[in-house]
Amino acid sequence: MKITRSEPIKNNHLIAIFFASIIFTACSTSTKNLSAQAYITNQGENTVSVIDTASNQVTNTIKVGKAPVGVAIAAKLKRAYISNVESQEISVINTQSNRLIDTIKIKGSPVGIAISPDNKVLYVADWFDNKVLAINTSQTNEARELSVGDAPAGLIVSPDNKWLYVANRDSNDIAIINTDTLKIVKRITVGKHPFGLALSKSGNLLASVNVQDDTVSVYNTVHSRQDTIKVGYHPYCAAFSQDETKLYVTNTQDDSVTVLDLHAKKAIATINIGSTPEGISLDHDNHRAYVANWGSNDVSVIDTSTNRLMMNIKTGDKSRAFGQFISPR
């Protein structure tokens, strides 16, 4: 079975985006490509590939720590934070120069990583010590910690910065944490082995990707209701459409992305992409989805208006990009 207790390191070791924007003016229909950057962790070679989204080219390859997994983009700080599970540290990249500028040592094995909307707190899931760290981004030696559940993986912060959601893979639940007190206020039981999490733009919908159930649990954070929807084989990560009507889910064992209609509560498309797809992020403005493929060492670009594969961009060995990996414009 592919998903094991040592899933973040793979193979038993301890271990883009294309933004083509059409600009309409009062007198012209001329077009211009707007560039962003995608930060793709390559766990097999200890690097991060930086993709210029206007050209769809890898413009930088940055050496980081050992076995990089997670990505969190802090736009206000112009930083990309990378979790390195084997070297037990966070690499900090300046997104203007695309250079490694700092390393934050962690007592544990960081996997999932997320930044608060105000960019003041970096949250890190420690997979093996079953805790979450809350690191002050202005003083990285200042950190709080909380025991959450067994094998915490994906995590994400609500748009209002009040709640931190953590997927506990081996506890089969989602912990809801008050970000002020760093205390658990509620646990939501979901499917078996939740791993990736996604939150809609409004924060009203939370998706838990349940690896061993081949399902996604969609939880309404306002009404505390939950729906369970079938997807592909061994799903991993997910991303919401901006209008919150669709959810895109990567399936690691059948090399596909499932598109869910959240009103109908069913799959409406299956898109065949690269091998062993993991991390996924969306470019809402230009109707694109970007998927990091562990098995084929590339990033697949999907046109979300047609749900068809557009292209694959070669990256590095064992691409994962677990988290929100697209830098804003």
Side-chain angles (χ1 to χ4, degrees), residues 168-245:
N168 298 304
R169 199 203 73 161
D170 289 355
S171 300
N172 300 323
D173 66 23
I174 307 300
I176 304 178
I177 298 166
N178 183 304
T179 56
D180 287 333
T181 63
L182 209 64
K183 294 185 182 299
I184 297 172
V185 297
K186 187 175 182 178
R187 290 186 184 273
I188 307 165
T189 300
V190 290
K192 192 171 183 181
H193 285 191
F195 200 81
L197 289 182
L199 195 63
S200 65
K201 182 180 179 181
S202 67
N204 293 343
L205 297 176
L206 175 69
S208 165
V209 182
N210 308 314
V211 176
Q212 290 197 344
D213 277 354
D214 301 336
T215 65
V216 171
S217 298
V218 180
Y219 179 78
N220 188 306
T221 61
V222 177
H223 302 292
S224 299
R225 292 197 300 259
Q226 183 177 156
D227 294 307
T228 301
I229 309 172
K230 199 74 173 174
V231 289
Y233 185 32
H234 276 216
Y236 205 81
C237 294
F240 281 95
S241 63
Q242 192 169 37
D243 63 6
E244 307 186 6
T245 63

Side-chain angles (χ1 to χ4, degrees), residues 52-172:
D52 180 278
T53 62
S55 64
N56 288 331
Q57 299 293 317
V58 173
T59 58
N60 295 84
T61 300
I62 306 166
K63 290 291 293 184
V64 291
K66 195 173 182 181
V69 180
V71 184
I73 303 294
K76 295 176 183 177
L77 301 178
K78 297 178 173 59
R79 300 288 184 265
Y81 294 92
I82 309 296
S83 64
N84 305 295
V85 65
E86 280 194 40
S87 53
Q88 300 182 316
E89 62 192 15
I90 306 298
S91 295
V92 185
I93 295 170
N94 182 308
T95 56
Q96 290 186 307
S97 64
N98 282 324
R99 295 180 180 274
L100 181 68
I101 59 170
D102 198 6
T103 300
I104 306 169
K105 295 301 294 184
I106 299 293
K107 292 181 180 178
S109 300
V111 177
I113 187 169
I115 192 78
S116 62
D118 60 11
N119 285 193
K120 292 182 178 180
V121 182
L122 180 70
Y123 295 98
V124 182
D126 182 344
W127 175 269
F128 289 99
D129 288 341
N130 301 325
K131 63 186 179 184
V132 166
L133 304 177
I135 301 171
N136 185 328
T137 56
S138 63
Q139 298 178 331
T140 56
N141 60 341
E142 180 182 314
R144 298 178 293 163
E145 64 178 64
L146 168 71
S147 295
V148 284
D150 294 339
L155 66 174
I156 199 163
V157 188
S158 63
D160 61 9
N161 203 35
K162 291 182 178 179
W163 313 109
L164 171 67
Y165 301 97
V166 182
N168 298 304
R169 199 203 73 161
D170 289 355
S171 300
N172 300 323

